[in-house]
Amino acid sequence: MKQVLHRNKRDVFESWINEFCLDKKAKYIWPQICYHNQTGDVIHLVFEKNRKNQDVIEWPVKLNFKNGKSIPVTNIDFTTNEPSLENGQRWDYETWYETALGGSLQKACNQKPSSFWNWRTQSCPQGNLTCDLDFLFFKKSNNTYYGFEATEIYYVDQSSNRNQDIYEHFERLLKLRKGNMNGFNTLQLKAQLNLLSQLEGGLGLILHQIVKEDSQPIEMNQVRDMSASYTTTSMPQFKLRDDKVVTLKITDETIQNIRSFLDSPYKNNLNKEKSELRFQSLVSVMSKIVE
């Protein structure tokens, strides 16, 4: 994998995963989860194919729900002139929400959407929210789904105790993003966990560092040849640090503990979660899953 920089932080993890799967000749699943805005119950799943991801994602997607469970699914192709369904028919985005989501729209979608998220921002469907899951993969050898949500950590390299630094930054991540426009969303985690639970799979949180190349030189022995590459029209600035990845298994208990910590950080601790945090290689994490 080629080590390059990216203009936008949002591109770093997605591009890394795309390049990793291309190298492995594997495809992953990218679900967009429509969920109830109070309970986190999954209402509908959307699987979008676009020009950026068409070579690395499974599409159309048919999930293997177990014990007779199922969630309604819509596969949408945004590589065509008009957004279309897997059968080639036009996606009727003007009325699709009526049967797929129920409820109403705050406003009509009067322009052809360029993506599913663009459709949501145009129409603002009521009573539900949408999040994506950065990575979902079905490992055939053990018949198991693995899902990961990725978020950035901020590491300062000031302590001699690397694990203590992880603990501090995990707490800081939660505190700083509480109430922020891009805040740490436990309801989103709940919806993602609800999906993986119905698939009888596992959900993990990937905490990764993004560094700005022109402000922090990096020793060659600290960085693996990990970053994904794509062509840009101007000089990019950011890259992913493979050796700064931390994973945390997400369960109902984890979500409840995070909520309690956010509500009362001085009364509640995250000792159980902290005990599971360790720096590791993102390649090592993903290679255990992607076949």
Side-chain angles (χ1 to χ4, degrees):
M1 295 177 63
K2 298 178 182 179
Q3 179 184 320
V4 298
L5 302 175
H6 300 276
R7 291 181 298 171
N8 195 312
K9 284 188 174 185
R10 292 177 300 175
D11 297 324
V12 172
F13 185 82
E14 177 188 358
S15 297
W16 190 98
I17 285 295
N18 288 354
E19 188 69 17
F20 178 83
C21 288
L22 282 173
D23 284 355
K24 290 282 190 178
K25 296 180 172 57
K27 293 189 175 184
Y28 69 98
I29 302 168
W30 179 48
Q32 297 183 73
I33 306 168
C34 302
Y35 61 97
H36 192 279
N37 62 359
Q38 298 296 322
T39 65
D41 291 338
V42 181
I43 301 171
H44 203 97
L45 296 173
V46 172
F47 299 100
E48 170 184 332
K49 179 172 71 170
N50 55 52
R51 298 191 185 282
K52 186 176 180 180
N53 68 18
Q54 61 183 333
D55 294 327
V56 292
I57 63 161
E58 287 189 27
W59 196 95
V61 177
K62 293 178 175 59
L63 297 176
N64 300 320
F65 290 100
K66 300 177 181 180
N67 298 324
K69 300 175 182 178
S70 66
I71 299 173
V73 167
T74 300
N75 287 283
I76 308 174
D77 185 354
F78 283 94
T79 67
T80 52
N81 184 44
E82 283 282 335
S84 59
L85 304 175
E86 61 184 288
N87 60 8
Q89 294 182 353
R90 177 182 178 273
W91 175 44
D92 187 7
Y93 53 82
E94 297 90 349
T95 62
W96 171 83
Y97 74 94
E98 295 175 355
T99 55
L101 303 179
S104 61
L105 301 180
Q106 190 176 88
K107 49 189 177 180
C109 182
N110 294 319
Q111 295 183 344
K112 180 177 69 175
S114 58
S115 66
F116 181 66
W117 185 251
N118 178 249
W119 173 82
R120 284 198 66 96
T121 58
Q122 286 194 58
S123 58
C124 300
Q126 303 297 288
N128 63 86
L129 300 170
T130 292
C131 67
D132 70 345
L133 183 62
D134 293 311
F135 177 85
L136 180 64
F137 190 84
F138 180 67
K139 188 171 183 177
K140 295 180 181 178
S141 62
N142 62 1
N143 199 35
T144 301
Y145 282 97
Y146 296 90
F148 283 110
E149 174 66 13
T151 191
E152 183 184 2
I153 57 174
Y154 311 93
Y155 184 76
V156 293
D157 290 318
Q158 290 183 348
S159 171
S160 60
N161 185 336
R162 300 181 78 199
N163 289 330
Q164 183 62 34
D165 279 339
I166 298 176
Y167 305 156
E168 293 171 358
H169 284 278
F170 181 54
E171 289 190 353
R172 188 178 296 119
L173 167 72
L174 300 179
K175 289 178 181 177
L176 286 177
R177 294 181 64 181
K178 178 185 178 184
N180 187 286
M181 179 181 238
N182 299 308
F184 198 86
N185 187 344
T186 54
L187 189 60
Q188 170 183 319
L189 275 184
K190 180 65 176 176
Q192 293 166 336
L193 182 60
N194 285 341
L195 170 59
L196 268 299
S197 296
Q198 293 201 46
L199 293 170
E200 296 187 3
L203 175 65
L205 188 64
I206 291 180
L207 309 176
H208 63 89
Q209 188 191 20
I210 297 173
V211 292
K212 192 173 182 180
E213 174 67 7
D214 59 4
S215 64
Q216 181 176 344
I218 300 171
E219 296 178 7
M220 291 305 296
N221 63 354
Q222 290 181 303
V223 182
R224 306 183 186 213
D225 220 5
M226 305 312 312
S227 299
S229 101
Y230 64 96
T231 302
T232 60
T233 57
S234 62
M235 179 61 67
Q237 298 180 356
F238 303 102
K239 64 181 174 183
L240 184 147
R241 291 283 299 270
D242 169 67
D243 62 328
K244 297 301 180 185
V245 169
V246 179
T247 61
L248 175 66
K249 182 179 179 180
I250 300 298
T251 65
D252 285 321
E253 181 184 8
T254 309
I255 295 174
Q256 184 56 50
N257 288 345
I258 291 175
R259 284 175 174 167
S260 298
F261 174 79
L262 292 175
D263 290 340
S264 303
Y266 298 105
K267 294 181 179 179
N268 300 285
N269 61 58
L270 293 166
N271 288 340
K272 181 178 183 297
E273 286 70 31
K274 289 178 183 178
S275 68
E276 300 175 7
L277 300 177
R278 294 290 184 274
F279 278 128
Q280 52 190 315
S281 159
L282 184 53
V283 167
S284 176
V285 172
M286 302 308 298
S287 295
K288 293 175 184 177
I289 295 172
V290 178
E291 299 174 316

